[in-house]
Amino acid sequence: MAGKKISRREILGLGAVAAVGGALWHERADGKTHGGRAGQYQPAAARQKTAAAGRVYWEKSYSGGPVDVKPLPPGLPEKHYKPVVVPNGAALPFKVVDGVKVFHLIAEEVDWAFDAGLRAKCWGYNGRVNSTAIEAVEGERIRIYVTNRLPVPTSVHWHGFYLPNGMDGVGGLTQPYIRPGETVKYEWTLRQHGTFMFHSHHDEMTQMGMGLIGMFVVHPRKPAPEYHVDRDFSLMISEWAIKAGTARPNTLVMNDFNVLTINGKAFPSTAPLVCKTGDKVRIRLGNLGATDHHPMHIHGYHFRVTATDGEDIPLSAQWPETTVLVAVGQTRTIEFIADAPGDWAFHCHMTHHVMNQMGHDFPNMVGIKTGGLDEQLRPLLPAYMTMGHTGMDMGRMAEVMPYPKNTISMKGAAGPFGDYISMGGLFTVVKVRDQLKSYDEDPGWYKHPPGTVALKASDAELRRDGIDVNERTAAASGAERGHR
């Protein structure tokens, strides 16, 4: 290259590259510094309309744009948005002071019932564990006072939010600790909408493991007609290690959790999601457990995945599923129309996540032939009973088995047919009814129309369809050959 002359065309080319590079740098600098002129907040929907061809590859900002926007008036429930339903929980109350929506969040110890048989000393917000939600509206200014009634310092991180760095809530990094007895003020203008979360960001392993997590829903300022639904549920997923007979979560456990919860409750204490036939339904799922991701599966329906904690998913990019994976630290929003009445299971598809405490710490006994062992041992151990050799479906036997105090067994709950629903943990029921007295009342078990329940086949039916229940299978024949 030494001594080579640069042609005029090459000089022009370099100049063009430099000009483009300068423009790109300018854009990137804007994005990094929250730059730009701030005016009144412009809702996200309106900003999108200004884009000439819809979505652009590189957005101007990945952090909400200018921070010092002029906020919009506070939005009010039932007037400007339909509040979310928090099964087994509630939304945090607020008041409006000089145009600012003000909340008071209190971190404190809570004596919490995960189910009828299990209570534990946990930490939570405003008297609840995992089930205090905050609701607000895009464009409004919020002020959240956090009072620490714990014996240790804490902080609160607003997970997924665009906010000034000093409001991000990372103890020691973006703010001093909130020490015991102190009250700290967080304040910023909401420049986005969607489903987010909040949680302690100091000694996370302990504090989130003890229960300091919650959902934070921000409704759009100018929602599209499709945003309006009849039922809008908020479900926070978490996991706990509570050794049978104890009453403190062990937050040192890394991967062997034995109590899995939705809004702080394990089935059968999870409240059902009650809907009327034809309701448009949205379920917002958040996961702030320690290590496990959860594939949440619905029976009898498909749904569309319509939003992440990043933003709404455009209609053209939404996808149909019956199972949505909610990874640790993520939210996912799903929507469907409840057009089929019934009691429809909704649960995590990790099989160990739909169990309770006593499904742990057993030797593998499946298939063991006890051969009268129980009868032989009972003269010495009157309460002896071999367990696990037929699986972990203990049904009603679970109610009379000897357990340590403050323990929930593998039991689920008695269902409409008298048999046990052998599920626990991350399991609930979407109850869809043609007629409802109230969304706030459990409508009971579904009454199936005649002829629509899978029941024991009659001899006449078997003969009609040529079913031989004594037919030899390849497996049976193989086993027989193996014994010869």
Side-chain angles (χ1 to χ4, degrees):
M1 292 290 291
K4 181 184 176 183
K5 290 184 179 180
I6 301 176
S7 69
R8 183 170 177 271
R9 177 172 295 178
E10 287 171 325
I11 290 173
L12 289 174
L14 286 172
V17 169
V20 171
L24 287 175
W25 173 256
H26 181 69
E27 276 197 13
R28 287 169 184 166
D30 277 357
K32 285 181 178 176
T33 60
H34 290 197
R37 286 179 297 176
Q40 188 173 54
Y41 177 73
Q42 191 179 25
R47 292 202 304 273
Q48 289 164 4
K49 284 179 184 174
T50 62
R55 202 169 187 175
V56 296
Y57 192 88
W58 289 108
E59 301 170 26
K60 276 193 172 182
S61 172
Y62 288 78
S63 56
V67 176
D68 55 342
V69 290
K70 182 181 177 182
L72 300 172
L76 301 176
E78 304 296 355
K79 183 175 182 182
H80 299 113
Y81 64 89
K82 186 180 181 68
V84 295
V85 179
V86 188
N88 300 112
L92 191 65
F94 68 87
K95 55 187 174 183
V96 176
V97 180
D98 297 331
V100 178
K101 192 173 280 185
V102 178
F103 300 88
H104 186 195
L105 196 64
I106 301 170
E108 58 188 348
E109 184 165 277
V110 180
D111 180 17
W112 187 249
F114 292 93
D115 187 42
L118 177 63
R119 303 187 74 91
K121 294 286 186 185
C122 301
W123 292 348
Y125 294 114
N126 297 70
R128 300 183 196 86
V129 170
N130 296 182
S131 51
T132 295
I134 297 177
E135 264 184 301
V137 177
E138 179 188 11
E140 68 186 12
R141 191 159 184 84
I142 58 169
R143 186 178 300 142
I144 305 175
Y145 291 96
V146 178
T147 295
N148 180 9
R149 293 181 182 167
L150 298 170
V152 296
T154 190
S155 70
V156 179
H157 167 57
W158 313 101
H159 187 106
F161 279 92
Y162 307 144
L163 34 58
N165 185 246
M167 294 291 154
D168 194 41
V170 181
L173 175 65
T174 60
Q175 68 167 82
Y177 300 155
I178 310 173
R179 290 181 165 74
E182 288 185 344
T183 295
V184 162
K185 182 188 73 175
Y186 295 88
E187 182 169 342
W188 75 98
T189 300
L190 295 168
R191 294 170 294 137
Q192 62 201 122
H193 66 262
T195 305
F196 310 101
M197 302 181 282
F198 62 94
H199 60 84
S200 166
H201 214 302
H202 172 64
D203 189 10
E204 283 192 345
M205 181 182 75
T206 302
Q207 299 200 4
M208 293 175 70
M210 288 289 288
L212 292 178
I213 62 177
M215 294 285 272
F216 197 142
V217 173
V218 182
H219 297 277
R221 172 65 56 167
K222 295 180 179 178
E226 296 78 17
Y227 181 77
H228 299 287
V229 295
D230 301 291
R231 303 293 279 160
D232 191 342
F233 297 102
S234 172
L235 306 183
M236 169 63 80
I237 301 168
S238 193
E239 55 197 0
W240 311 74
I242 306 175
K243 194 172 178 61
T246 68
R248 276 282 188 192
N250 182 355
T251 60
L252 300 175
V253 167
M254 293 179 66
N255 55 13
D256 193 17
F257 300 97
N258 60 0
V259 179
L260 285 293
T261 57
I262 298 173
N263 288 348
K265 299 289 184 182
F267 186 78
S269 287
T270 50
L273 312 187
V274 180
C275 306
K276 275 193 293 193
T277 306
D279 277 353
K280 294 175 181 171
V281 180
R282 174 180 299 123
I283 302 178
R284 305 169 188 263
L285 297 157
N287 178 9
L288 283 177
T291 59
D292 286 307
H293 311 315
H294 300 291
M296 297 300 293
H297 172 64
I298 194 167
H299 291 211
Y301 288 94
H302 79 274
F303 50 72
R304 284 183 293 110
V305 183
T306 58
T308 70
D309 38 344
E311 63 179 20
D312 294 341
I313 300 172
L315 180 61
S316 60
Q318 295 175 7
W319 68 98
E321 288 276 13
T322 64
T323 303
V324 61
L325 183 65
V326 190
V328 174
Q330 289 184 334
T331 72
R332 291 289 180 268
T333 301
I334 62 173
E335 295 177 4
F336 61 98
I337 293 179
D339 55 351
D343 288 338
W344 301 105
F346 183 53
H347 62 93
C348 178
H349 225 289
M350 297 276 194
T351 54
H352 280 234
H353 295 177
V354 286
M355 53 168 279
N356 292 328
Q357 280 174 306
M358 292 306 285
H360 277 246
D361 300 329
F362 271 88
N364 184 6
M365 299 286 286
V366 175
I368 295 291
K369 293 181 172 56
T370 58
L373 178 64
D374 290 16
E375 290 74 17
Q376 294 174 41
L377 284 177
R378 277 179 188 148
L380 298 173
L381 301 170
Y384 179 81
M385 179 170 57
T386 303
M387 294 189 299
H389 57 296
T390 59
M392 299 305 292
D393 178 15
M394 298 176 187
R396 288 189 183 279
M397 189 171 61
E399 295 180 352
V400 297
M401 289 175 61
Y403 291 119
K405 286 181 66 177
N406 201 43
T407 300
I408 47 176
S409 67
M410 179 55 202
K411 76 180 174 83
F417 303 102
D419 290 334
Y420 253 61
I421 305 165
S422 57
M423 309 292 274
L426 296 180
F427 183 93
T428 188
V429 181
V430 179
K431 295 193 172 185
V432 183
R433 299 289 185 274
D434 291 335
Q435 302 291 331
L436 272 180
K437 290 182 181 177
S438 167
Y439 282 124
D440 299 325
E441 293 180 18
D442 185 336
W445 298 117
Y446 180 62
K447 307 295 183 189
H448 299 85
T452 64
V453 175
L455 299 173
K456 182 181 178 182
S458 68
D459 291 341
E461 289 171 326
L462 295 173
R463 280 196 302 274
R464 179 194 66 197
D465 295 326
I467 303 298
D468 179 4
V469 297
N470 297 313
E471 182 180 355
R472 300 187 65 76
T473 64
S477 300
E480 204 168 72
R481 284 196 297 273
H483 286 295
R484 288 175 186 165

